Amino acid sequence: MSTTARRPREISSEEETRIQQGIADDPDNTEWTEEDFRKAKPFRDALPELAAAIDRAKAKRGRPTVDSPKQQISVRLDPDLIQHYKATGKGWQSRMNDDLRKAAGL
C-alpha cells in the first residue's frame, strides 16, 4: 500500500457547476445549514439502542475463548514426517497433536 496521497484531478468550472446543481436538485440530500450542524448529535447519543446492539454484535465476533488455548511453537521435524501428515488432508496438525498426546501417554 502506497503512503503517498493521490491528488484529485482538476475539474473544469462547468463540471463543478453541474456537480453543484446536482447536489442542489437532490431532494433527499439537502445541504446542511448552520442550524443543522448545531442540532446534530453523535451517533451514540442519537441512537443509543442501535449503538448498544452493534457493540453486542461486535463482541460476539471471532473465535470463542477456550479454557486452555493451544500454544504456537517452533519445532523442527523431518520432511517425510511432515509430508506424511499433510498427505492426510485438512486437520493434519490436529491429528499430529493427537498422536503426540498418545505417544506421551496424555
Side-chain angles (χ1 to χ4, degrees):
M1 181 178 197
S2 174
T3 56
T4 39
R6 287 183 49 197
R7 292 179 44 174
R9 70 175 178 83
E10 296 292 323
I11 61 173
S12 67
S13 59
E14 294 83 17
E15 232 178 332
E16 177 66 23
T17 301
R18 280 196 314 274
I19 291 168
Q20 292 303 323
Q21 188 60 51
I23 293 169
D25 291 344
D26 185 352
D28 295 326
N29 190 20
T30 57
E31 194 163 347
W32 276 34
T33 65
E34 290 296 322
E35 181 67 16
D36 291 327
F37 280 104
R38 278 194 295 279
K39 289 181 182 178
K41 295 180 184 178
F43 168 72
R44 292 188 173 280
D45 294 346
L47 300 166
E49 297 86 11
L50 181 56
I54 291 170
D55 290 341
R56 284 191 302 276
K58 282 183 181 179
K60 293 179 183 178
R61 284 193 277 186
R63 286 182 177 241
T65 56
V66 293
D67 294 333
S68 180
K70 293 187 177 186
Q71 296 179 357
Q72 183 174 350
I73 63 163
S74 177
V75 64
R76 294 181 180 275
L77 301 170
D78 293 331
D80 59 340
L81 182 63
I82 296 170
Q83 287 173 352
H84 168 76
Y85 276 95
K86 281 187 173 183
T88 64
K90 190 173 180 174
W92 67 271
Q93 291 171 321
S94 295
R95 283 188 292 283
M96 183 183 280
N97 186 74
D98 294 342
D99 288 350
L100 285 169
R101 291 185 66 77
K102 287 177 194 169
L106 300 174

